[in-house]
Amino acid sequence: VSDTSGCSMIALLHTGAAKFPQNLLSRARQAVSPLFPAGVLEGFSSIVSRKLASHGFGASMAAMSSFPPQRYHYFLVLDFEATCDKPQIHPQEIIEFPILKLNGRTMEIESTFHMYVQPVVHPQLTPFCTELTGIIQGMVDGQPSLQQVLERVDEWMAKEGLLDPSVKSIFVTCGDWDLKVMLPGQCQYLGLPVADYFKQWINLKKAYSFAMGSWPKNGLLDMNKGLNLQHIGRPHSGIDDCKNIANIMKTLAHRGFIFKQTSKPF
């Protein structure tokens, strides 16, 4: 099936790559490789790969072949920062509310929700809180209340298609504190409802221990060390912690780990 230039056979091998089983393509390439000078097939392969990538196929095809499919279409990575001091102040209030929308097929970040929240019970941040989180007073002054931020989360969830009943998504946190203690506790204090989508989640510490056989006592730092990953950004920055969680999840997924809900139903 070759013309005088030999290009027809090569084109067939590459344009059919998405349709033919990999083992058959490999055998076909081995069969025709003696017919062409060294580097010709590789050159065409490089060209085709760039063409596919320009149309958005490269990453998704690589991702689909590199790890098994997950049970969820999307993972919603969340990590609150809250008012704090030593000894601890009560009630604590959320001051940073970040969410990363992670594609369950590619494990890549597709969208980000990130807002700071003005505390109302203890509106003045303590020096301890600022030193721990990196959040200064000017970052929360004049920001929306928790009620307003929750409304915007719901709008973002709708815009991202996450409220569609046919779309399976679940929150992921580093521990159970964010969605078992912090959010429901503050909502109860303020008399606010907790949306149902906040009532199921994956505790990354538990997922990591299932995958690696050891409990990460120091949270993200231990998980990054155990997976030989570089820590991203500043510890106790909510948005940076979310990026670390996403990176750890991607690494575990590439190792074949399937994420499952760890929280018990409310």
Side-chain angles (χ1 to χ4, degrees):
V1 194
S2 174
D3 57 22
T4 54
S5 66
C7 293
S8 298
M9 176 63 80
I10 299 172
L12 177 63
L13 289 175
H14 291 294
T15 56
K19 299 180 181 178
F20 286 87
Q22 289 298 315
N23 62 331
L24 294 182
L25 283 170
S26 177
R27 288 167 60 187
R29 289 191 180 99
Q30 290 174 8
V32 301
S33 59
L35 304 177
F36 304 104
V40 171
L41 287 175
E42 289 76 6
F44 270 83
S45 182
S46 175
I47 293 169
V48 173
S49 296
R50 288 198 297 271
K51 288 291 185 182
L52 286 171
S54 71
H55 291 286
F57 290 112
S60 59
M61 288 177 67
M64 285 188 287
S65 62
S66 61
F67 56 84
Q70 296 290 328
R71 296 184 171 194
Y72 297 92
H73 297 113
Y74 296 101
F75 296 105
L76 305 176
V77 179
L78 176 149
D79 191 275
F80 296 139
E81 297 305 324
T83 53
C84 53
D85 202 0
K86 280 192 173 183
Q88 189 59 273
I89 57 176
H90 296 284
Q92 283 189 275
E93 299 170 86
I94 295 168
I95 54 175
E96 185 180 5
F97 204 128
I99 307 172
L100 300 181
K101 179 188 176 189
L102 200 64
N103 186 305
R105 181 170 52 84
T106 65
M107 301 306 286
E108 298 292 342
I109 298 167
E110 285 194 355
S111 181
T112 301
F113 178 92
H114 186 213
M115 293 189 71
Y116 291 98
V117 191
Q118 179 161 347
V120 294
V121 182
H122 301 287
Q124 193 70 30
L125 301 183
T126 64
F128 174 85
C129 183
T130 294
E131 184 178 351
L132 180 70
T133 66
I135 299 172
I136 62 173
Q137 192 66 40
M139 295 166 71
V140 296
D141 284 346
Q143 294 302 307
S145 66
L146 179 64
Q147 180 177 359
Q148 293 169 322
V149 171
L150 289 172
E151 290 170 356
R152 295 189 191 182
V153 168
D154 202 66
E155 293 169 359
W156 178 79
M157 295 275 287
K159 180 175 69 73
E160 295 294 329
L162 297 165
L163 302 184
D164 184 336
S166 65
V167 175
K168 294 185 66 177
S169 65
I170 190 168
F171 279 89
V172 184
T173 59
C174 184
D176 291 321
W177 175 83
D178 300 80
L179 293 178
K180 187 175 183 179
V181 177
M182 188 60 238
L183 183 64
Q186 189 177 357
C187 284
Q188 183 179 27
Y189 184 89
L190 297 173
L192 302 174
V194 178
D196 286 342
Y197 46 70
F198 286 125
K199 296 180 180 179
Q200 302 85 33
W201 65 89
I202 294 169
N203 178 343
L204 184 65
K205 292 180 183 179
K206 291 181 180 177
Y208 177 90
S209 67
F210 295 152
M212 303 295 288
S214 62
W215 183 260
K217 293 180 181 179
N218 293 314
L220 293 174
L221 295 177
D222 280 358
M223 288 186 272
N224 277 327
K225 184 177 179 181
L227 295 169
N228 295 314
L229 298 175
Q230 194 73 28
H231 191 87
I232 299 169
R234 174 198 175 103
H236 301 296
S237 156
I239 190 65
D240 288 347
D241 284 352
C242 283
K243 292 173 183 177
N244 281 286
I245 292 171
N247 200 29
I248 290 164
M249 291 184 69
K250 182 178 180 180
T251 303
L252 291 176
H254 275 280
R255 294 186 177 203
F257 185 74
I258 306 295
F259 290 92
K260 303 173 186 177
Q261 178 179 331
T262 62
S263 66
K264 295 179 180 179
F266 271 48

